[in-house]
Amino acid sequence: MYRLPLVLLTAALLLSGCTVAAYDALSTDSIAKPRFGDNDPVDFGQRHPHLHDVHGIDVSKWNGEIDWQAARKSGVAFAFIKATEGKDRVDSSFERNWRGAAAAGLPHAPYHFYYFCSTADEQADWFIRNVPKSAVRLPPVLDAEWNHASPTCKLRPPPARVRASLQRFMDRIEAHYGKRPIIYTTVDFHRDNLVGHFDDYHFWVRSTAAHPEDIYASRTWAFWQYTATGVVPGVNGNTDINVFAGTQKNWQAWVASVTD
């Protein structure tokens, strides 16, 4: 099973001067200029995301047709691409997006939006059925959040049941693809269900109003989604932008470790 990259990333960041507890704390010039535009920028103070070397996007059908070559030339270093939702939905742009990202030479990973009105096995079966191994260069992502806008499922299971379901899904995905999934989550879902759990997984956290260190208690993160209103060449309209926790050198080492 896929275990080593978590150790490799932590070790690489330790060697670069970061701690295990906060490997997102980079020693970088505090006057770094924004890599991309933003239609509704937030003042993150001196810990702003532009201190980080490696930026990427996450996309779905709502982003329309993407010019992946233009996105890469602009500085996009990776992409998380929506693949599936629940037990019966496939993002209509998934295949086009992952093939486009691959053709542009961008490291990419598919993500699954978890739906609490379906079982973990139903959703794992659906993801495996619709996501070929060739679409999984970086580890696949489990998107775990409360779906406030769902017209069909308002279910919020108790925390222990939530964690058991997520673990079952991730175990199935890891067994099939040979890569330990990344967990994407939001502030409220993390607070309700994940604090103190899944410490042996990489986390991708949403934090668009403050630095993750301020709102994710004791959580070491690998990716930070810092805006939903970013402006990226090749992508129409607003888009999510993310940063990787480590340096460019850390990134290259980690990508090499997870794509072998």
Side-chain angles (χ1 to χ4, degrees), residues 114 119-122 124-125 142 161-175 198 201:
Y114 201 86
T119 69
D121 283 310
E122 288 173 330
D125 287 343
L142 167 60
R161 191 184 307 164
V162 166
R163 292 190 292 270
S165 297
L166 299 183
Q167 186 68 71
R168 174 62 180 171
F169 176 87
M170 291 190 293
D171 287 347
R172 290 281 315 278
I173 297 306
E174 183 174 355
F198 300 114
Y201 286 81

Side-chain angles (χ1 to χ4, degrees), residues 149-200:
S150 174
T152 58
C153 183
K154 306 295 184 183
L155 185 63
R156 292 192 177 202
R161 191 184 307 164
V162 166
R163 292 190 292 270
S165 297
L166 299 183
Q167 186 68 71
R168 174 62 180 171
F169 176 87
M170 291 190 293
D171 287 347
R172 290 281 315 278
I173 297 306
E174 183 174 355
H176 182 77
Y177 295 98
K179 299 178 187 285
R180 172 155 284 204
I182 296 166
I183 301 173
Y184 169 88
T185 195
T186 56
V187 177
D188 58 341
F189 189 90
H190 183 267
R191 180 192 61 233
D192 293 347
N193 302 286
L194 304 179
V195 174
H197 297 275
F198 300 114
D199 288 342
D200 53 347

